[in-house]
Amino acid sequence: QVQLVESGGGLVQAGGSLRLSCAVSGRPLTYFTMGWFRQAPGKEREFVAAIRGSGGSTVYADSVKGRFTISRDSVKNTVALQMNSLKPEDTAVYYCAQGYGSNLARVDYWGQGTQVTVSS
């Protein structure tokens, strides 16, 4: 059984930083693409960042490029999202995802989500 469990969300002021973590069980993360999506109130879920299982190449949404960094620990089977220079528009529920494609065009598994709130 595959499980993705996020942690690290919270409340931060604009310009601050947060680090999200996703613990993966049941499936080696290096075999698949791992990534993060987010969903703000009243908006559709959107892609944020991904890291490919083979080679570890990364891709980011334009809105977070240069501010967010995705990484993985293959030993601990975890994926992290370091978020710097946070803006109020980054406020959303952030979801960890596992699937296929450089930008996770196909998602097989989702985490339960963690709330990130950025105050102005």
Side-chain angles (χ1 to χ4, degrees):
Q1 183 179 0
V2 178
Q3 279 193 317
L4 310 179
V5 180
E6 301 100 334
S7 60
L11 173 65
V12 65
Q13 287 188 332
S17 299
L18 278 176
R19 184 177 178 86
L20 305 183
S21 183
C22 175
V24 182
S25 60
R27 226 178 180 189
L29 58 85
T30 53
Y31 288 11
F32 305 93
T33 299
M34 296 294 306
W36 295 88
F37 286 73
R38 67 186 181 186
Q39 187 166 19
K43 295 188 177 181
E44 291 189 354
R45 193 172 297 188
E46 65 175 0
F47 170 79
V48 174
I51 183 166
R52 299 204 72 157
S54 176
S57 60
T58 58
V59 62
Y60 298 90
D62 287 343
S63 59
V64 307
K65 205 171 291 184
R67 301 188 297 122
F68 290 11
T69 303
I70 188 170
S71 61
R72 68 183 182 193
D73 185 324
S74 302
V75 174
K76 295 181 180 178
N77 230 41
T78 58
V79 178
L81 185 69
Q82 178 66 42
M83 305 185 294
N84 299 327
S85 302
L86 283 161
K87 304 175 181 179
E89 51 263 44
D90 294 318
T91 295
V93 177
Y94 284 70
Y95 297 90
C96 181
Q98 184 184 75
Y100 297 90
S102 59
N103 62 344
L104 276 167
R106 172 184 149 183
V107 175
D108 288 344
Y109 297 97
W110 294 96
Q112 82 285 357
T114 185
Q115 177 71 46
V116 171
T117 303
V118 184
S119 63
S120 56

